[in-house]
Amino acid sequence: MMRIPFDKYHVSGNDYLICAQTDWELPINTTYIKSLCDRCNGIGADGILFWSTSTEHKWSLRIYNSDGTECEKSANGLLIFAQYLKDNGLSQHRTIEIFLCKLAETIKVNEFADGCDSVQLGRYYFSSDKIPVRSNKETFIDQQVVIGDEKFNLNCVSLGNPHCVIFVDRELSMDEVINKGRLIGQSTLFPDKANVIFALIRSETLIKIEVWERGAGYIQSSGMCACAAAILSYTRKYTKNKVTIEMQGGEVTVMLNGRDEVSLSGKAELICSGDVAPHIIN
Ligand SMILES: N[C@@H](CCC[C@H](N)C(=O)O)C(=O)O
């Protein structure tokens, strides 16, 4: 009977399964991904990373959310893949280049300090077309909207995937994050949906965020959402270009280089390794 080896890693509580595409003899489809990510009947994770290697790209990655949708970029997913390569003796380089299949873009992960790596996430864009957000305005920053019965002030950015930041003046409950996050992230404003971030500015160098992610719902931490919060709060002049982002699951550091490029440093850790029992995928 077929057994599929996997490893499970996390960055600040954002957990991913990682599988070599050569070991996965099945189609990569929503049903399998949902079963594996199910926290009661499967292994449980916020998403799955499938990696491969070829002569064209030494390392390639496909990133899936727990609902089976494929996403463009995941900062934590990239940190995890780089750590996995090192843990398994597959790369000894201080800089690892990873090709993201959905975006057709190469990202660099560098060794940083204290066991952390830094992922260079590349350019970000404010144009409404690029996010995408349905609006005739060129950008969608500091925009008042009514969704359902609620008024929100939205600030949007694309990092390859769509992000929407709402600045708040108090901590929200988990229920509020889920309900408001889902309402905004799935609204018709966003044809591709959006990751929704509630950001509380604590100081010029510290932001607390809560996240509702497209494809995964409420999660303990998100690298891309941490970057989106840092970018929008810098743009609105609330914070400096280097900030610590505090989340339920832990902290990461985000740096903006003044050329509309962002990098994030964090630490990926192995949780467990094993084989998927055949009945889960049969
Ligand atoms: N958790 C990831 C980002 C995942 C992407 C998101 N769910 C999407 O569909 O855009 C991270 O830490 O970067």
Side-chain angles (χ1 to χ4, degrees):
M1 268 203 219
M2 181 180 52
R3 298 186 79 87
I4 297 176
F6 75 90
D7 294 88
K8 177 170 163 166
Y9 279 74
H10 81 111
V11 179
S12 314
N14 184 200
D15 55 352
Y16 279 88
L17 306 177
I18 177 158
C19 294
Q21 220 163 305
T22 44
D23 293 329
W24 185 267
E25 292 160 18
L26 302 159
I28 297 175
N29 67 26
T30 307
T31 312
Y32 293 136
I33 292 171
K34 277 184 168 170
S35 325
L36 292 174
C37 291
D38 187 307
R39 294 196 183 276
C40 297
N41 300 304
I43 302 160
D46 294 325
I48 306 192
L49 310 171
F50 288 102
W51 67 271
S52 58
T53 180
S54 69
T55 43
E56 200 183 345
H57 301 291
K58 179 76 180 141
W59 305 115
S60 299
L61 203 58
R62 301 205 88 98
I63 307 162
Y64 290 86
N65 292 313
S66 56
D67 73 349
T69 51
E70 184 172 4
C71 82
E72 295 84 353
K73 211 184 263 180
S74 160
N76 288 343
L78 285 153
L79 290 174
I80 286 171
F81 183 42
Q83 190 60 46
Y84 167 90
L85 291 174
K86 288 189 253 180
D87 288 351
N88 289 282
L90 295 168
S91 175
Q92 279 80 37
H93 295 109
R94 300 198 63 176
T95 297
I96 302 176
E97 295 197 352
I98 302 168
F99 180 74
L100 295 176
C101 299
K102 182 147 192 217
L103 269 184
E105 187 180 315
T106 299
I107 299 285
K108 285 185 184 163
V109 182
N110 300 310
E111 262 176 37
F112 198 55
D114 306 325
C116 285
D117 279 343
S118 160
V119 49
Q120 317 293 314
L121 290 156
R123 287 227 31 206
Y124 50 86
Y125 301 89
F126 294 116
S127 109
S128 298
D129 287 352
K130 222 162 164 122
I131 289 165
V133 50
R134 284 197 178 98
S135 166
N136 50 19
K137 297 188 187 313
E138 205 176 306
T139 60
F140 211 76
I141 297 174
D142 194 8
Q143 293 299 311
Q144 307 292 338
V145 297
V146 177
I147 307 177
D149 296 335
E150 280 197 71
K151 275 192 192 145
F152 297 100
N153 180 283
L154 305 185
N155 303 273
C156 299
V157 65
S158 167
L159 289 113
N161 20 9
H163 290 81
C164 175
V165 178
I166 297 102
F167 294 99
V168 292
D169 52 14
R170 64 172 176 89
E171 300 213 10
L172 303 188
S173 70
M174 194 199 282
D175 279 352
E176 285 179 300
V177 175
I178 294 170
N179 294 333
K180 293 177 197 288
R182 190 188 293 133
L183 188 67
I184 299 166
Q186 295 184 344
S187 102
T188 51
L189 253 185
F190 299 107
D192 294 346
K193 301 190 182 156
N195 298 301
V196 181
I197 301 105
F198 298 94
L200 177 63
I201 308 292
R202 293 216 194 271
S203 75
E204 279 188 324
T205 54
L206 181 65
I207 310 172
K208 162 91 194 276
I209 66 166
E210 291 275 6
V211 169
W212 180 91
E213 258 196 12
R214 179 183 75 156
Y218 179 88
I219 58 171
Q220 293 206 2
S221 90
S222 166
M224 300 298 286
C225 293
C227 292
I231 293 164
L232 266 323
S233 61
Y234 176 73
T235 305
R236 295 202 57 178
K237 303 194 178 2
Y238 299 148
T239 48
K240 297 189 170 164
N241 68 322
K242 182 178 177 191
V243 279
T244 301
I245 307 287
E246 185 189 323
M247 294 168 282
Q248 283 301 327
E251 288 183 358
V252 291
T253 305
V254 178
M255 274 282 287
L256 310 175
N257 69 1
R259 295 188 301 277
D260 288 354
E261 289 171 342
V262 61
S263 63
L264 168 138
S265 59
K267 190 179 168 74
E269 285 176 326
L270 176 68
I271 298 172
C272 62
S273 307
D275 290 313
V276 180
H279 66 267
I280 298 291
I281 37 184
N282 283 339

